[in-house]
């Protein structure tokens, strides 16, 4: 995911779904082929901090951080 511009699609197969503008915290990027979603939560306060909420193809929820690290929710 793009931490500098959450309005940029993570890839050609991803589409924006939500009630807010593309890249806002009122929606998520969704991949209909895999069922994955990426929700930008870039204003999340510490101690969690900025991250993307990612639902992987198995339905498991993760937090992805700028450095690429992942933490299961």
């Amino acid at each position: 995911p793009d931490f500098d511009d959450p309005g940029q699609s993570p890839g050609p197969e991803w589409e924006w779904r939500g009630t807010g503008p593309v890249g806002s915290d009122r929606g998520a990027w969704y991949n209909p082929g895999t069922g994955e979603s990426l929700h930008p939560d870039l204003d999340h306060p510490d101690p969690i901090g900025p991250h993307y909420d990612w639902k992987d193809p198995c339905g498991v929820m993760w937090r992805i951080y700028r450095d690429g690290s992942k933490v299961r929710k």
Side-chain angles (χ1 to χ4, degrees):
D2 191 325
F3 279 79
D4 296 319
D5 183 1
Q8 290 297 311
S9 172
E13 64 280 359
W14 295 77
E15 57 191 50
W16 182 257
R17 292 190 176 177
T19 60
V22 174
S24 73
D25 62 356
R26 294 190 323 257
W29 289 104
Y30 178 71
N31 183 323
T34 64
E36 292 172 275
S37 65
L38 282 166
H39 166 74
D41 196 356
L42 305 180
D43 293 323
H44 199 105
D46 289 333
I48 293 173
H51 65 279
Y52 273 80
D53 291 318
W54 172 45
K55 183 178 81 171
D56 73 17
C58 296
V60 178
M61 294 298 297
W62 301 84
R63 287 188 180 113
I64 299 177
Y65 292 94
R66 183 180 285 274
D67 65 3
S69 64
K70 296 183 278 289
V71 175
R72 191 170 176 167
K73 288 180 78 171

